[in-house]
Amino acid sequence: MTARRASAAEAARQAEAAAAVIPREVTGATLRAPEPMLSLHATSDLVAWLPRGESMRQRTATEARLAESAAETAREALAAARAAERAVELLRENQAAEMARKAARRSQAALDEMGARQATR
């Protein structure tokens, strides 16, 4: 469970980092551009990199969603396991109480029988 939560947090961090790279690259290309007005067409490097950067951002965002989904599934499974464990505990307690009641009834029946025998003598 903890490993899944850590994995989800790491995937979210990577997705945020990938998303943050794109504006930094655009800003950097704009500063390096010969004419500031050409910010989106600043360099051929940026134009070549941008689809890869967007793909990286989308991939890491998807990985983060999948990791969070896996963590949520693990949380649900843990909650179900704990509920089942509690149900078993309650069942055992009820069985133990029933066995104690039966034993007490048997003891009382035996005492009643002994008392009846002594009363008839």
Side-chain angles (χ1 to χ4, degrees):
M1 175 70 177
T2 303
R4 289 184 193 261
R5 192 176 297 145
S7 175
E10 176 60 20
R13 188 196 63 72
Q14 288 177 354
E16 289 172 8
V21 168
I22 294 172
R24 283 197 314 260
E25 286 293 322
V26 170
T27 300
T30 303
L31 294 175
R32 293 187 304 268
E35 296 180 34
M37 296 301 292
L38 300 175
S39 62
L40 292 179
H41 304 288
T43 66
S44 60
D45 291 342
L46 175 63
V47 172
W49 178 86
L50 200 52
R52 195 177 110 237
E54 179 60 20
S55 173
M56 181 175 56
R57 184 199 64 77
Q58 288 176 358
R59 185 183 74 249
T60 55
T62 299
E63 288 171 358
R65 282 191 302 275
L66 291 173
E68 184 55 40
S69 176
E72 181 61 30
T73 300
R75 280 190 289 274
E76 290 170 359
L78 180 60
R82 285 181 177 161
E85 180 182 30
R86 181 64 184 140
V88 169
E89 288 172 0
L90 290 173
L91 182 61
R92 285 183 180 162
E93 289 171 6
N94 290 340
Q95 286 176 339
E98 182 61 27
M99 289 175 62
R101 280 191 296 275
K102 286 181 180 180
R105 281 189 214 128
R106 281 193 302 270
S107 294
Q108 187 61 47
L111 289 173
D112 290 346
E113 187 178 324
M114 286 182 3
R117 282 185 196 166
Q118 288 180 352
T120 59
R121 286 187 189 177

